[in-house]
Amino acid sequence: MAAPAHPFGMRVLVPFAAERPKTRLDGLFDAAERRAFARAMLDDVLAAVRAAGHEPTVLATAPVEVDAPVEVDERALSPAVNDALADAGPAADDPVAVVMADLALATPAAVGRLAAAQGPVVAVPGRGGGTNALVVRHPSFRVDYHGASFLDHRRVAAALDADVTVVDSYRLSTDVDEPADLVEVLLHGEGRAADWLADAGVELAVDEGRVTVDRE
Amino acid sequence: MAAPAHPFGMRVLVPFAAERPKTRLDGLFDAAERRAFARAMLDDVLAAVRAAGHEPTVLATAPVEVDAPVEVDERALSPAVNDALADAGPAADDPVAVVMADLALATPAAVGRLAAAQGPVVAVPGRGGGTNALVVRHPSFRVDYHGASFLDHRRVAAALDADVTVVDSYRLSTDVDEPADLVEVLLHGEGRAADWLADAGVELAVDEGRVTVDRE
């Protein structure tokens, strides 16, 4: 039996908007804080990918110092990911994953379920129609992250006659964009992003049975 | 080996607010429509529980005609569920589950993962701090659905020295309360609730990359 092409696990691209991340959190955090919080989430995602036995590469819009190889591509998300996918050359026995950098609830177990799912295209929906994670084993699959990308990715796969396997994970379906999403990080986060929020004075607030966040 | 106490699977309580459900959808639907939509979601949950091989009982605030046994209890959610739990008498080898009636994305596979999870208390968080599903194998565990109930249920279990096993399911973590939740039903629903929304003229709307709903 030949040695596997990537003995250290699945290759995982982690796109990261290094410069003006998380603008929808601007009511709570200034620009420097948003960059720091985005960076904490990225660190959590990289740690979960590594702990699950896989090989992350950060695909960043600007140079960033992290504990992983970094490729800089200033273009928009979809063309940058598509060029990186084409370069990586996914194959049936050598998948390439794309995992968003704002999945602050990612755990090694959740990443492990993603990597264990079979099929030419594996997808995890994000809340609101996005696509939070993909595992690509079909050499011709390409991404389109604009709008309701989960439906678009189903169409792209159907055009290739490739089945889509959907992984049912609350942790991986939770991308962090809006203040309401911080509730999830405070309740279920186990890493640096949750610690960063606590250090920033962000706390749960229960108001008439609904849970929101307050900043001290 | 003795015959199992419940040969048709796990007992599953499904609490249902029969009279004024889903008030946060009042911008889209009138009261009769909200009742019909809530009922469609209940039917989907019951179908998923049954197809997974388990035995649902509806715990309703008023009589309702459904394809399952119904117990009527007019009280608030927590005391009603706690009395039903005490009556059912959960045990290590004879669990009792509590599954919310508004989990419109529930599938037999997701319910199967819930039932397969081990431990004295199994929980699925809802978005925003709630508890969408529980499997109780500890005879003394009681619920408290007010506020951030997921944290409360962790505390209740800790006081009993009982571990909490968390099931990581986007489908079961998605309870449908607000218009934004309808996006998830339209995108990922496979049952009557999704059909009801389509019949009511509710459609996805993509606006500057964000996905919402419109009603025709």
Side-chain angles (χ1 to χ4, degrees), chain A residues 73-152:
Chain A
D73 190 326
E74 295 174 359
R75 290 175 298 166
L77 179 61
S78 297
V81 168
N82 279 331
D83 270 15
L85 259 185
D87 284 350
D93 60 351
D94 192 14
V96 178
V98 185
V99 174
M100 294 296 131
D102 60 354
L103 309 187
L105 304 187
T107 55
V111 173
R113 286 179 55 216
L114 176 72
Q118 297 301 306
V121 178
V122 176
V124 182
R127 204 178 141 81
T131 309
N132 284 3
L134 287 163
V135 178
V136 180
R137 294 188 177 88
H138 192 297
S140 305
F141 183 85
R142 293 297 177 266
V143 301
D144 178 358
Y145 284 106
H146 190 74
S149 68
F150 192 75
L151 295 179
D152 292 329

Side-chain angles (χ1 to χ4, degrees), chain A residues 128 168-171 181 184, chain B residues 127-128 168-171 184:
Chain A
D168 178 28
S169 167
Y170 156 76
R171 288 188 169 276
D181 300 325
E184 310 309 307
Chain B
R127 205 179 140 80
D168 177 28
S169 167
Y170 156 75
R171 287 189 169 276
E184 310 310 307

